[in-house]
Amino acid sequence: MTLLDVQDLTVEFPTRRGTLRAIDSISFSIGTGEILGVVGESGAGKSLTGAAIIGLLEPPGRIAGGQILFAGKRIDNLSQDRMRAIRGRQIGAIFQDPLTTLDPLVSIGRQLVETIQTHLRLSDRDAKARAIKWLEEVGIPAARARIDAYPHEFSGGMRQRVVIALALCAEPRLVIADEPTTALDVSIQAQIIELLKRLARDHGTSVMLVTHDMGVIAETCDRVAVMYAGRIAEIGPVVEVVRHPKHPYSEGLMGSIPSLEHRVARLRQIDGAMPRLAAIPPGCPYNPRCPKVFDRCRVERPGLLEADATRAACWLYDKAAAHV
Amino acid sequence: MPAFILSRILQAIPVLLVVGFISFAMFAFVGDPVTAMLGQDYTEAQRIALVHKLGLDQPFFVQYAKFMWAAAQGEFGLSYRLARPVSGLILERLPATVELAMTSATLALLIGVPMGVYTGIRRNSFASRAFMVFSLLGVSLPTFLIGILLILVFAVLLGWLPSFGRGEVVHFSHWSTGFFTVSGLKALILPAVTLGLFQMTLIMRLVRSEMLEVLRSDYIKFARARGLSQRAINFGHALKNTLVPVITIVGLQLGGLIGFSIVTETVFQWPGMGLLLVQSIQVADIPVMSAYLLLISVVFMGINLVVDLLYYAVDPRLRMTRRVSANAP
Ligand SMILES: Nc1ncnc2c1ncn2[C@@H]1O[C@H](COP(=O)(O)OP(=O)(O)OP(=O)(O)O)[C@@H](O)[C@H]1O
Ligand code: SF4
Ligand SMILES: [Mg+2]
């Protein structure tokens, strides 16, 4: 069943020198209990997509088109108050750097209890019990004794566990995790991803997992969306996209992964750089870097086209043109 | 905590010794108290007798030690100008300055902090813009000019408030207070506003810029993502974090109030220590000047201690020793 349905979402920044279109008409959906991976170079628009979904785009950024449906209802046009009630309760968020996402002056127990009581009608005692339960669930040892501790008293990995507890303590149905392990020690990254995966499975939570780690995508996600210059280049089941990428950009990204067993952590560097927002070329945005570019790519912009088991925004898969 | 306070007091001792040395050096090298006290006609014998009586014939370091020992007991000798004990003079003037500075500080905090919070949260509202323009006046106009303008409007043109003095005061043993008479309160308004305006606008601008900074932080974004109400975010998280850096500067500013009160007291002929200092400087009344210098440095150190204690109360990161074991991974 579809939980989140993003349709033709467009995000723009009005600037003095014209409007920048940072997200250009992207569409995807996430099913109940599904984990969707999102990959792409820095600046591709991954974080903005997440921010647009939970209604926290920083002005002057704004949704300029399309709609976002959550459990069948539009949420992109809700009032601040209605959207606030959805954040944390229906859609949670996990941020990148646990060293800066927790308020340093407020104990973790207090932060948990206030989040729980914002969304659920619980007494102080019940809320505290729930907070302890969540700390235990995310693997904080001696949770009961440490509930009054402050963020600085925990290591980075432990803090990210606390952040996860905060994001999940009101049991949202969808969690947007924006590079939840990038700021952590390599040795801890796998544990955190494992935890996230287990919690999502146990609670039936859907996850939108933004990461640069193709290995994590391969091991964790059901489907994956590859983003490029504010658009989706390819989207499909993770096995297909990783093993048989159809879009030349995905192919470049996956080129460095010999197999799922011998994963190579980082995305491969592709020659050239992603264009700045103000200078996205006409036609296919990837055309200046694409090894398979042909005339049509420089003129017409491809939409998502069926390409075997995945969908790719590439003219190579235009069936109508194929037999010409 | 007591150990913390004790260590701060111990740290203050060398500072006091240095300030004391400067005060004492004024005695030793500035002006000539003997001729000042003897006037025009005196005999050599009178002069030597006075030099001996003042202890000026003793070695330098003996004089310094004696000075510090006496100062520690609040003894600064006789005022050259009034031939009365300096400690008594200062005690007499202290209440006026303390009441003025306290009133200004309270005004500055009670108005400055909320205005800073408001302009930080409602950055683009009309009121915020108006406050910002007003605060620019506050930080850029010199104190004496503000005082004179206020006198012109409220004392001369409107005749609502007195332009000088302290009004009627009530005495409680050594303390004289203007808080309990109408004329005392009326007399307090203009000097307190004059003295506090600069600090108030400074505090407002400081709180505002810190607030803007904090509101951009990740933990505020995360608080939003957790669905907390705007109120809980602004007052439960943002304000608290804003206060940490604000405390230091505000502490120092309030110490500065006592220093700035010199100008205000002169403009309003307010019978406080600042006015006493100005009157003393005019005739090189060194004992009063050095006593004032020492007193001000003690006040600053006291304020610093309070600032540190406030930090301690607000920021758990400084209370590290409390629960070291919790730091295990
Ligand atoms: N306030 C803003 N004004 C103008 N452009 C912005 C603003 N915020 C973001 N952008 C642009 O939007 C684009 C997408 O940014 P986004 O943060 O979503 O990238 P990302 O895919 O999350 O990258 P990263 O991997 O570095 O996190 C970038 O090109 C960025 O320059
Ligand atoms: S449309 Fe053309 S340029 Fe774009 S990815 Fe496909 S082949 Fe390359
Ligand atoms: Mg990002």
Side-chain angles (χ1 to χ4, degrees):
Chain A
M1 217 189 70
T2 304
L3 180 64
L4 178 79
D5 195 7
V6 175
Q7 299 173 351
D8 299 319
L9 176 69
T10 298
V11 172
E12 290 180 346
F13 289 92
T15 68
R16 248 169 284 150
R17 273 180 284 133
T19 303
L20 290 181
R21 185 165 287 189
I23 305 281
D24 195 351
S25 188
I26 64 172
S27 302
F28 64 92
S29 64
I30 302 180
T32 305
E34 185 181 48
I35 303 186
L36 174 77
V38 179
V39 286
E41 271 163 279
S42 191
K46 309 181 292 292
S47 299
L48 281 182
T49 305
I53 292 169
I54 53 173
L56 286 179
L57 280 177
E58 306 257 336
R62 62 186 194 94
I63 295 178
Q67 51 183 12
I68 301 169
L69 302 178
F70 184 82
K73 297 203 184 71
R74 268 187 86 164
I75 57 167
D76 56 294
N77 55 0
L78 293 182
S79 68
Q80 275 298 318
D81 264 0
R82 307 256 323 259
M83 197 58 212
R84 196 179 55 69
I86 287 177
R87 285 197 288 271
R89 181 72 180 101
Q90 305 288 343
I91 307 178
I94 297 168
F95 286 16
Q96 180 171 340
D97 187 353
L99 298 188
T100 57
T101 30
L102 296 169
D103 184 337
L105 304 185
V106 180
S107 74
I108 59 161
R110 180 77 218 115
Q111 297 190 48
L112 274 161
V113 167
E114 72 176 347
T115 312
I116 292 166
Q117 288 186 327
T118 297
H119 298 295
L120 310 170
R121 300 179 71 91
L122 289 182
S123 68
D124 289 354
R125 258 187 66 211
D126 292 348
K128 189 174 174 188
R130 194 183 171 97
I132 293 171
K133 187 206 84 154
W134 268 102
L135 286 178
E136 279 164 356
E137 196 155 348
V138 296
I140 304 282
R144 189 172 296 276
R146 296 178 77 179
I147 184 139
D148 291 322
Y150 288 88
H152 72 269
E153 299 176 71
F154 295 88
S155 65
M158 283 294 148
R159 280 194 228 188
Q160 195 63 312
R161 288 172 192 263
V162 174
V163 170
I164 291 174
L166 277 165
L168 297 181
C169 64
E171 309 233 0
R173 297 159 75 186
L174 170 69
V175 175
I176 297 170
D178 194 347
E179 305 192 37
T181 58
T182 308
L184 299 176
D185 252 31
V186 182
S187 56
I188 296 165
Q189 293 183 352
Q191 293 172 17
I192 295 293
I193 290 294
E194 203 47 50
L195 172 71
L196 200 57
K197 218 164 115 178
R198 176 171 60 77
L199 290 173
R201 196 180 52 226
D202 292 356
H203 296 265
T205 317
S206 309
V207 182
M208 175 174 149
L209 178 62
V210 176
T211 174
H212 286 278
D213 190 328
M214 284 314 299
V216 165
I217 295 273
E219 284 172 15
T220 315
C221 301
D222 303 305
R223 285 189 310 136
V224 57
V226 178
M227 285 190 71
Y228 186 82
R231 300 159 201 204
I232 291 181
E234 182 166 4
I235 183 167
V238 72
V239 198
E240 292 300 321
V241 177
V242 171
R243 289 227 183 119
H244 314 289
K246 292 294 182 301
H247 195 284
Y249 177 64
S250 326
E251 245 178 278
L253 284 183
M254 309 307 160
S256 61
I257 307 184
S259 73
L260 287 186
E261 289 73 37
H262 304 93
R263 57 181 253 212
V264 172
R266 291 278 138 181
L267 296 182
R268 197 181 80 168
Q269 282 307 115
I270 301 169
D271 291 343
M274 198 169 63
R276 284 179 300 111
L277 290 183
I280 294 178
C284 172
Y286 189 54
N287 78 59
R289 297 165 81 185
C290 181
K292 298 180 180 165
V293 57
F294 56 103
D295 289 346
R296 189 180 183 184
C297 309
R298 298 197 181 88
V299 193
E300 266 183 280
R301 177 182 159 184
L304 281 177
L305 300 165
E306 299 293 332
D308 295 342
T310 80
R311 289 187 303 142
C314 172
W315 288 128
L316 294 173
Y317 304 96
D318 186 8
K319 296 199 178 63
H323 33 78
V324 177
Chain B
M1 185 71 120
F4 172 74
I5 297 176
L6 189 70
S7 83
R8 295 316 300 256
I9 291 174
L10 287 178
Q11 280 169 23
I13 288 177
V15 181
L16 279 178
L17 284 176
V18 171
V19 176
F21 186 79
I22 296 171
S23 303
F24 170 71
M26 297 202 311
F27 262 114
F29 302 117
V30 182
D32 181 4
V34 179
T35 34
M37 287 173 94
L38 286 172
Q40 295 293 319
D41 303 314
Y42 55 90
T43 64
E44 182 61 13
Q46 277 176 318
R47 196 188 69 82
I48 291 172
L50 187 60
V51 164
H52 185 72
K53 189 179 160 215
L54 293 175
L56 299 179
D57 50 356
Q58 287 166 331
F60 185 78
F61 279 101
V62 176
Q63 286 189 48
Y64 173 54
K66 278 193 163 175
F67 170 83
M68 286 310 287
W69 179 245
Q73 292 161 320
E75 275 309 319
F76 292 90
L78 295 182
S79 153
Y80 298 161
R81 180 169 64 102
L82 302 168
R84 287 179 48 202
V86 170
S87 49
L89 276 176
I90 291 208
L91 273 184
E92 214 174 272
R93 300 295 195 101
L94 189 67
T97 296
V98 168
E99 286 190 352
L100 176 60
M102 286 300 197
T103 309
S104 302
T106 312
L107 277 181
L109 281 173
L110 287 189
I111 302 177
V113 172
M115 264 168 66
V117 171
Y118 178 82
T119 49
I121 297 172
R122 293 273 154 79
R123 204 173 355 164
N124 296 319
S125 78
F126 176 77
S128 292
R129 289 168 202 267
F131 285 159
M132 288 307 286
V133 172
F134 160 76
S135 76
L136 216 55
L137 286 179
V139 289
S140 52
L141 285 183
T143 306
F144 76 89
L145 195 61
I146 294 173
I148 290 170
L149 286 175
L150 286 177
I151 288 178
L152 188 67
V153 175
F154 292 98
V156 179
L157 292 180
L158 296 171
W160 291 350
L161 299 166
S163 64
F164 66 89
R166 219 186 151 197
E168 272 176 73
V169 293
V170 180
H171 288 271
F172 294 99
S173 77
H174 284 307
W175 196 268
S176 64
T177 175
F179 285 156
F180 298 104
T181 63
V182 175
S183 72
L185 288 174
K186 276 173 97 175
L188 188 57
I189 296 176
L190 290 186
V193 169
T194 305
L195 182 56
L197 196 66
F198 175 77
Q199 326 287 333
M200 184 185 96
T201 47
L202 197 84
I203 289 172
M204 175 200 137
R205 296 178 78 89
L206 185 72
V207 169
R208 173 180 178 275
S209 66
E210 282 301 329
M211 194 83 181
L212 288 178
E213 185 80 29
V214 167
L215 285 174
R216 271 198 298 270
S217 68
D218 279 356
Y219 53 84
I220 295 298
K221 284 183 198 151
F222 188 53
R224 290 205 182 97
R226 286 189 277 143
L228 301 191
S229 69
Q230 203 55 45
R231 219 186 133 74
I233 292 171
N234 288 338
F235 297 100
H237 295 279
L239 183 58
K240 209 170 179 187
N241 279 279
T242 300
L243 287 184
V244 174
V246 166
I247 287 171
T248 336
I249 304 196
V250 168
L252 291 177
Q253 285 305 318
L254 297 187
L257 274 180
I258 304 234
F260 279 116
S261 71
I262 296 170
V263 176
T264 309
E265 289 184 8
T266 309
V267 171
F268 288 93
Q269 289 297 299
W270 185 262
M273 294 190 306
L275 192 58
L276 176 69
L277 179 73
V278 171
Q279 289 162 347
S280 305
I281 289 174
Q282 282 164 357
V283 296
D285 193 347
I286 305 284
V288 177
M289 289 159 64
S290 60
Y292 182 86
L293 185 63
L294 267 174
L295 187 72
I296 291 295
S297 51
V298 170
V299 167
F300 262 90
M301 276 180 252
I303 288 174
N304 262 338
L305 180 64
V306 172
V307 165
D308 284 342
L309 290 176
L310 279 178
Y311 259 150
Y312 214 76
V314 174
D315 195 337
R317 284 165 292 192
L318 300 175
R319 302 196 290 262
M320 283 294 265
T321 45
R322 198 170 52 110
R323 210 185 302 118
V324 178
S325 58
N327 228 340

